[in-house]
Amino acid sequence: MDFTFTEEQQAATEAAKAVFSGVVPDGVPSPALVPGAVAEDIDRPLWAGLASGDLLSLTLSPEHGGAGLDLVALCLVLRESAKVLARVPLLETCAVAMALQRYGNPRLAAELLPRVGRGELVLTAGANGRTGHDPAELAVTARREAAAGTDAGAGAGSDGAGAGGGADSDGGWVLDGTQSAVPWAQAADWIAIPAHIDEGRAVVALIQPAQDGVTLAEQVSTSGERFAEVRLESVRVDGQALIDEPGAWEWLRALLTTGTCALALGLGEAVLAMTSQYTGKREQFGFPVATFQSVAVQTADRYIDLRAMEVTLWQAAWRISTGAAGALPAEGDIAVAKIWASDGVRRVVQTAQHLHGGFGADTDYPLHRFHAWAKQIELSLGPAAAHEEALGDLLAAHLLG
């Protein structure tokens, strides 16, 4: 396998390293020491830095002011962001923007996407459903409302198009339901909400938090970030703010899942490096503990985990980016990548905690922050067990020769 990255992808990685070089994981209070969220907002200076470095427009097409790169490039940037626990919805914003660009209304895309690339708009997505165990699209219903006499998108804010009805509307839709654990929803300008319609398939609605019928109930993630339970009660959106192309939600969910694997990889690499530095300096019986066989074996096992996480990540990202055929649909590669990401990142931080001894639990030392983020990433978009079940279903449906 040739995992050589293109010059453009390598340039994106270097740009990301430059932007994230000034970020420190302990720039906000520890999630272990505060009862609520560690901060009220995302890291706005970092968000502005990502915009000025053209990283928010990385996967946007040139017509929207972007570089036109693919998911592999985005995952390279996400990998770097996780090494410093960057408190920005980079994955959610870029994934929703990519879905809007590919499947959404062209007029809405033309108005919103350049602003996303400039850092003026924050996007997020509800991908956890009501409980986190059932498919997210089943948590919300979308029913079509007759176009005549409809005030679609009533109550929407004034900073975007598409949420207000008018002559250009394709008819209105009404949403009801709840999406739980929506990342940084309070900071978002638009939220992508998967829903199911009477035909039994999924659609994606773009809503604004200020719309009538939208309520954000405060939630806090394991990593200490502000999440929200987004409650929808007869929320109206017009036709161009609802993406009803077949496969749109499945593609967006694939982007989010694969991006989460990239976050797990970057975090795991940072933790293993931190552990190697510590065990190389910490001495017992006059020798660095890194020279002890039991320590070397454990760190070697975690290195193998990271390499497996890496190869399965790039396989999944490549399948999505190219549409290449395989023995299984791309969903199979995504499931394998998430299984390795969830199990692997958990093992990496557990071993790190063990080898650090008491320092691992010291709130003045950053490792416990990485442990909290790792647990959040492990369970996001489904734990390993859920993807093992999905992979089993795919294998049963596609007999391999």
Side-chain angles (χ1 to χ4, degrees), residues 47 50-51 53-60 90 93-94 116-119:
W47 193 249
L50 290 169
D54 295 327
L55 293 175
L56 296 181
S57 60
L58 193 69
T59 56
L60 299 180
L90 177 61
T93 293
C94 291
V116 170
R118 296 193 297 267

Side-chain angles (χ1 to χ4, degrees), residues 232-256:
L232 310 172
E233 185 174 355
S234 299
V235 176
R236 293 176 176 176
V237 296
D238 70 15
Q240 65 178 341
L242 188 132
I243 304 173
D244 62 353
E245 287 291 322
W249 163 239
E250 289 76 12
W251 196 71
L252 174 55
R253 182 176 57 200
L255 297 180
L256 292 168

Side-chain angles (χ1 to χ4, degrees), residues 246-305:
W249 163 239
E250 289 76 12
W251 196 71
L252 174 55
R253 182 176 57 200
L255 297 180
L256 292 168
T257 305
T258 306
T260 301
C261 296
L263 295 174
L265 176 62
L267 186 149
E269 289 175 332
V271 167
L272 187 62
M274 189 186 308
T275 305
S276 298
Q277 293 173 2
Y278 176 80
T279 56
K281 296 177 181 178
R282 175 76 166 90
E283 292 189 359
Q284 284 186 349
F285 311 111
F287 296 94
V289 297
T291 63
F292 299 170
Q293 186 178 30
S294 62
V295 173
V297 167
Q298 290 182 74
T299 53
D301 285 344
R302 300 296 77 82
Y303 177 81
I304 292 171
D305 276 335

Side-chain angles (χ1 to χ4, degrees), residues 13-354:
T13 303
E14 294 305 314
K17 289 179 178 179
V19 172
F20 293 124
S21 62
V23 180
V24 291
D26 53 1
V28 293
S30 164
L33 300 178
V34 294
V38 296
E40 290 297 306
D41 197 7
I42 64 174
D43 188 339
R44 292 289 177 177
L46 176 57
W47 193 249
L50 290 169
S52 63
D54 295 327
L55 293 175
L56 296 181
S57 60
L58 193 69
T59 56
L60 299 180
S61 65
E63 68 177 298
H64 298 309
L69 299 187
D70 59 9
L71 178 60
V72 174
L74 175 59
C75 285
L76 287 168
V77 176
L78 290 169
R79 180 186 190 176
E80 297 303 319
S81 75
K83 294 178 181 179
V84 296
L85 305 184
R87 300 181 46 260
V88 287
L90 177 61
L91 168 58
E92 293 80 8
T93 293
C94 291
V96 174
M98 291 170 71
L100 175 59
Q101 177 173 262
R102 178 170 175 148
Y103 293 103
N105 180 278
R107 290 191 58 196
L108 185 61
E111 176 144 0
L112 296 187
L113 295 182
R115 299 184 63 194
V116 170
R118 296 193 297 267
E120 298 171 4
L121 296 178
V122 173
L123 312 180
T124 190
N128 293 300
R130 188 178 183 88
T131 65
H133 298 289
D134 297 321
E137 65 271 20
L138 298 183
V140 176
T141 60
R143 67 182 189 276
R144 191 182 294 274
E145 187 177 51
T150 302
D151 183 19
S158 60
D159 63 342
D168 298 317
S169 173
D170 297 323
W173 292 80
V174 180
L175 306 178
D176 288 282
T178 299
Q179 288 287 348
S180 186
V182 179
W184 289 293
Q186 295 87 345
D189 298 286
W190 292 83
I191 305 173
I193 298 290
H196 67 278
I197 59 178
D198 290 339
E199 290 88 338
R201 60 184 180 86
V203 297
V204 180
L206 297 175
I207 67 167
Q208 294 180 284
Q211 283 182 238
D212 289 341
V214 178
T215 303
L216 303 184
E218 191 80 9
Q219 293 181 318
V220 180
S221 70
T222 303
S223 55
E225 300 300 332
R226 289 187 80 190
F227 279 23
E229 182 181 76
V230 180
R231 302 169 183 168
L232 310 172
E233 185 174 355
S234 299
V235 176
R236 293 176 176 176
V237 296
D238 70 15
Q240 65 178 341
L242 188 132
I243 304 173
D244 62 353
E245 287 291 322
W249 163 239
E250 289 76 12
W251 196 71
L252 174 55
R253 182 176 57 200
L255 297 180
L256 292 168
T257 305
T258 306
T260 301
C261 296
L263 295 174
L265 176 62
L267 186 149
E269 289 175 332
V271 167
L272 187 62
M274 189 186 308
T275 305
S276 298
Q277 293 173 2
Y278 176 80
T279 56
K281 296 177 181 178
R282 175 76 166 90
E283 292 189 359
Q284 284 186 349
F285 311 111
F287 296 94
V289 297
T291 63
F292 299 170
Q293 186 178 30
S294 62
V295 173
V297 167
Q298 290 182 74
T299 53
D301 285 344
R302 300 296 77 82
Y303 177 81
I304 292 171
D305 276 335
L306 289 173
R307 297 290 69 79
M309 292 164 65
E310 184 175 17
V311 70
T312 54
L313 163 66
W314 299 133
Q315 173 72 7
W318 173 75
R319 286 289 304 276
I320 295 171
S321 298
T322 63
L328 290 176
E331 290 80 7
D333 294 290
I334 296 167
V336 171
K338 189 56 166 69
I339 292 166
W340 271 106
S342 293
D343 282 344
V345 77
R346 184 185 68 253
R347 289 192 290 260
V348 168
V349 295
Q350 286 177 343
T351 297
Q353 290 279 10
H354 174 65

